[in-house]
Amino acid sequence: MLRDWCTWDDDYNAGVVQDIRARLCKLASEKADEYTVALMQGSGTFSVESVIGSAIPPQGKLLAIINGAYGKRIATIAKTLGVALAEMDGGERWQPSAKEIAAALTGDESITHVAVVHIETTTGMQNPAEEICAAAKAAGKTTIVDAMSSFGGLPMDAATMRADFLVSSANKCVQGVPGFGFVVARRDAMENIKGFARSHSLDLHAQWKTMEENGGKWRFTSPTHTVRAFQKALDELDEEGGITARHNRYKENHRILIAGMRELGFETFLPDEYQSPVITAFCSPQTPEWDFKRFYAALKKSGFVIYPGKVTVAETFRIGNIGDVRPADIRQLLKAAAAAKYWE
Ligand SMILES: *Cc1c(COP(=O)(O)O)cnc(C)c1O
């Protein structure tokens, strides 16, 4: 990141951008040649918005499956952009099933696109994206998967999952630094969305076409340092042994975290069978002494920063265990949490 890269130079476009695009296709599917990648400036939400705003034709209608803040965000984006929308919101403890999606699609034939969040980072819920996409495809719909907090950390194949558009970003399980997101799309799906965009700068097709036809050149100034760092992050993912090895590390981090937190008296918001190994929502202890800010400050003093809750129906806080975080770090965190225990 300390070296400057020129946005029009081959060292950057061919050597970094095209390399990243090809590697993302391979990470996303064994059928890499059926997929293509567009990189997009901004945080992950910008990439989600570029898909919602660009992939759905003017007469199209989106079904948003909602069980947390990120599913809600997809619906908010659709409303803001004037995309016709059906919402299916079962609450934060609801795990959507293929059967429910199939029924919703039978009930409203005007729906053309289905969007699902793979891991709902609000709670850590792992949604059955494969089954949901299968139901959507069986009904002839286009599928959009927000795989922001799962891609790179969970084995998946976009072809098996039947995702037409799969979105993620630089700074979650790929462990890069923030600054851009990416859309892995079926090549035929990407080719078919020309002219649908409701935003000029977030026009996914135009962004993709420019990269495709100009050897990795971005439409507008790209975050060069971040993109170069991402290439290094992909090297590190390879060095770790790929996605399966990383997934195993996250699972081990998570196993130690859950066991230790339960020993300290905390309960998880979700039942274990819904829980992904990347982030966990814990219920706040029901004692008058509990004060999240105090807990947060104590952990921060020991070098750990945790997340406030995002669940609306219960008081929770969240602990993520992705990134360059290892079992020894989790054990340190648990020690710090035990030392901070003042609430009972
Ligand atoms: C992180 C995340 C996003 C994007 O958030 P940004 O803050 O815009 O990067 C979207 N969906 C999910 C599921 C996420 O975890």
Side-chain angles (χ1 to χ4, degrees):
M1 290 182 76
L2 292 175
R3 193 184 139 183
D4 284 332
W5 297 84
C6 301
T7 53
W8 63 87
D9 190 78
D10 262 359
D11 287 352
Y12 178 66
N13 289 327
V16 180
V17 179
Q18 294 296 68
D19 177 60
I20 286 172
R21 293 178 69 219
R23 288 165 78 177
L24 283 175
C25 273
K26 286 203 190 105
L27 282 176
S29 181
E30 294 219 332
K31 296 184 178 163
D33 51 341
E34 291 179 16
Y35 287 84
T36 187
V37 169
L39 311 179
M40 182 61 79
Q41 294 94 333
S43 80
T45 304
F46 291 62
S47 286
V48 173
E49 183 154 345
S50 80
V51 175
I52 303 301
S54 309
I56 301 162
Q59 300 78 22
K61 182 171 181 178
L62 175 71
L63 172 64
I65 301 167
I66 303 169
N67 56 356
Y70 294 96
K72 258 196 199 116
R73 188 175 296 175
I74 289 175
T76 303
I77 289 169
K79 283 181 208 161
T80 305
L81 297 178
V83 172
L85 174 73
E87 294 174 74
M88 200 175 175
D89 188 343
E92 286 145 338
R93 279 199 178 94
W94 168 65
Q95 192 187 52
S97 71
K99 224 172 139 184
E100 290 163 294
I101 306 312
L105 294 177
T106 310
D108 183 351
E109 287 182 356
S110 62
I111 293 167
T112 53
H113 290 64
V114 176
V116 62
V117 178
H118 192 195
I119 292 179
E120 181 43 87
T121 320
T122 307
T123 54
M125 167 83 74
Q126 190 169 329
N127 286 323
E130 271 195 29
E131 285 110 82
I132 289 167
C133 288
K137 294 311 287 183
K141 314 301 178 191
T142 300
T143 54
I144 298 166
V145 178
D146 174 351
M148 206 68 66
S149 58
S150 59
F151 185 86
L154 222 64
M156 72 183 84
D157 190 305
T160 316
M161 189 187 271
R162 306 209 59 193
D164 294 316
F165 296 90
L166 186 137
V167 190
S168 191
S169 70
N171 55 286
K172 296 239 167 117
C173 296
V174 182
Q175 299 183 182
V177 300
F180 74 99
F182 50 89
V183 181
V184 180
R186 279 195 60 83
R187 183 169 282 279
D188 50 0
M190 187 71 102
E191 278 165 357
N192 283 332
I193 62 169
K194 190 178 176 192
F196 295 163
R198 286 123 178 119
S199 154
H200 179 58
S201 46
L202 294 177
D203 183 335
L204 181 64
H205 184 270
Q207 179 87 347
W208 169 73
K209 197 82 177 159
T210 304
M211 281 185 180
E212 195 71 359
E213 290 181 349
N214 299 282
K217 172 95 174 55
W218 295 48
R219 245 168 114 219
F220 308 127
T221 303
S222 65
T224 52
H225 303 74
T226 300
V227 175
R228 171 63 186 118
F230 187 78
Q231 187 181 35
K232 178 70 181 160
L234 289 177
D235 293 343
E236 291 178 4
L237 177 57
D238 288 345
E239 281 155 23
E240 185 169 356
I243 291 174
T244 305
R246 181 159 293 177
H247 180 227
N248 287 337
R249 173 165 61 85
Y250 289 170
K251 277 197 297 190
E252 183 62 3
N253 286 348
H254 186 256
R255 188 189 63 76
I256 297 166
L257 174 70
I258 299 302
M261 289 295 281
R262 283 186 175 146
E263 224 163 88
L264 289 170
F266 290 103
E267 285 172 24
T268 56
F269 177 74
L270 292 179
D272 291 350
E273 64 268 27
Y274 292 171
Q275 180 67 53
S276 71
V278 306
I279 190 166
T280 308
F282 293 96
C283 300
S284 303
Q286 297 299 307
T287 64
E289 292 83 19
W290 173 256
D291 175 5
F292 173 73
K293 282 202 179 116
R294 192 171 157 196
F295 186 56
Y296 181 94
L299 293 183
K300 187 171 172 183
K301 228 175 176 178
S302 311
F304 299 95
V305 174
I306 64 170
Y307 284 86
K310 225 175 161 90
V311 170
T312 55
V313 296
E315 238 195 84
T316 58
F317 62 89
R318 295 176 295 163
I319 301 184
N321 54 265
I322 63 171
D324 190 19
V325 171
R326 283 145 214 290
D329 301 311
I330 303 291
R331 288 193 191 98
Q332 274 306 117
L333 165 74
L334 290 166
K335 247 192 221 166
K341 196 165 177 182
Y342 57 82
W343 53 90
E344 53 175 48

